[in-house]
Structures are given as structure tokens and as C-alpha cells.
Amino acid sequence: MNIHILTPEAVRERLAQGVILVDVRSPDEFARERIAQACSIPLERLARGDRTGLPPKGAVMFYCRSGNRTRLGAATLAACATGEAYILDGGLDAWKRAGLPVQADPGQPLELSRQVQIVAGGLVLAGTAAGAWLSPWFLLLPGFVGGGLVSAGLSGFCGLARVLMRMPWNRRFRDAVSAASARPPLTKEPS
């Protein structure tokens, strides 16, 4: 099945015709900012063949932040759709550049991947500075962080992300994701 790439304006027209809009970003990205009509079904879940939440038939529109994830996963996305499949060209960023509305919740924490980048970068910076000015033993910290990032990249398991997810500022997001996963899957057919 082919997947068609559409401009934000064309997507808005298709939404008025009943196309189901699916945000393929991670749940934490979705919680922070999204297109109002979208439902969240992460690309990783679709790649595993889990179609829960997709309509049994009808057209589906997929988007991510910049369009890169949807373009790279186009074959997977097309295989998940039972009807016509579309991609929002340029993703959420293009939607916003076109002046179209989004739902944003600035009270949600930063995306977990950004939190990991901030903490890991801060630890590397602090360890390097302390190693240069106080004791070379502090250079073990950036080495440890670098090893952890390599291990996370190879295994898909990030211990730092797991620790950050348990932090109090992420509790509200965790609770929202749990509530969203308890909802029944989408069964409404587009009109």
C-alpha cells in the first residue's frame, strides 16, 4: 500500500472529512504538545505490529515532530493502515509554521529524551571541569556517563531514563499515560 505525503493545509481539509490523525511520537512528547484531533500511537508500537487504537477501516494520517520519523517509518505506517495512509509533510513543526492550532501543556515535563540529554551533558561537563581543576579522578564521571550512553544505545535500555521517570516532576505525566492506556481502543469509523 502506498502512503501519500500531504501539506498541513491538505491535512486540515482531510481531518474535516473524518480522517483519523495519529501522532507517532512518544507519549511524553504527545502530552506536551499535539494537534487537537490526534490520538497517540507511538511508532515503536506500530513497528511491533500492535494496531490497537487504529480504526478497523478508513483513512489514517500520521505525523511526528519534524516528519523524519514518519518518512523513515513510512513502510511500517502504510502496512498498519487498512485504508488510505497519509503523512503530514514536515510534521508538527510544519503544522505550527502554517499557523494551525496546537494543544500545548507547558505544565508537562520536558520530553524524557531531553531530560536525559540535560542530565548526561551536565554530568559530563561537571566531571570534566572537576577533573581539570580538582582531581583527575573526577574524569571517571564523564567516562561512566559515556559508557552508560553507549550501553543504552546498544541495548535499548537507559537506566538514567528509568531513574528520571521516577522523579516527582514526571509523576503527573506517568499518571496521565497510565490513564490513557486504560482507555478502550478507537473503534469509531471516519464519517
Side-chain angles (χ1 to χ4, degrees):
M1 180 177 292
N2 290 334
I3 196 158
H4 309 283
I5 299 172
L6 299 177
T7 66
E9 294 79 11
V11 169
R12 184 180 59 185
E13 291 173 14
R14 290 271 169 37
L15 288 175
Q17 298 167 2
V19 170
I20 301 299
L21 184 62
V22 177
D23 187 324
V24 300
R25 300 174 301 149
S26 65
D28 55 334
E29 292 174 286
F30 179 80
R32 192 162 173 85
E33 185 177 44
R34 66 198 160 279
I35 298 172
Q37 301 92 327
C39 63
S40 175
I41 306 176
L43 182 58
E44 294 79 23
R45 215 176 87 197
L46 293 169
R48 289 192 311 263
D50 183 353
R51 296 185 69 246
T52 306
L54 286 176
K57 59 182 177 176
V60 181
M61 176 74 61
F62 298 99
Y63 80 94
C64 61
R65 170 152 314 274
S66 66
N68 288 335
R69 274 180 269 191
T70 51
R71 282 183 186 266
L72 291 173
T76 299
L77 297 173
C80 290
T82 55
E84 288 292 316
Y86 304 97
I87 290 177
L88 169 57
D89 190 25
L92 184 62
D93 292 340
W95 182 269
K96 291 189 303 188
R97 279 193 306 272
L100 298 170
V102 295
Q103 283 184 336
D105 185 355
Q108 290 292 332
L110 287 175
E111 294 88 4
L112 193 56
S113 62
R114 289 181 60 193
Q115 291 181 44
V116 167
Q117 292 168 343
I118 291 167
V119 171
L123 289 171
V124 167
L125 185 62
T128 302
W133 290 308
L134 300 176
S135 166
W137 285 101
F138 282 105
L139 294 174
L140 291 174
L141 180 59
F144 176 75
V145 172
L149 292 172
V150 169
S151 174
L154 293 173
S155 70
F157 174 82
C158 181
L160 180 55
R162 298 288 173 116
V163 169
L164 287 171
M165 195 61 188
R166 288 179 167 55
M167 293 293 118
W169 60 84
N170 286 322
R171 186 168 292 129
R172 183 173 149 210
F173 164 72
R174 250 190 0 256
D175 295 343
V177 168
S178 295
S181 64
R183 288 187 205 132
L186 177 67
T187 55
K188 178 182 107 178
E189 291 185 28
S191 46

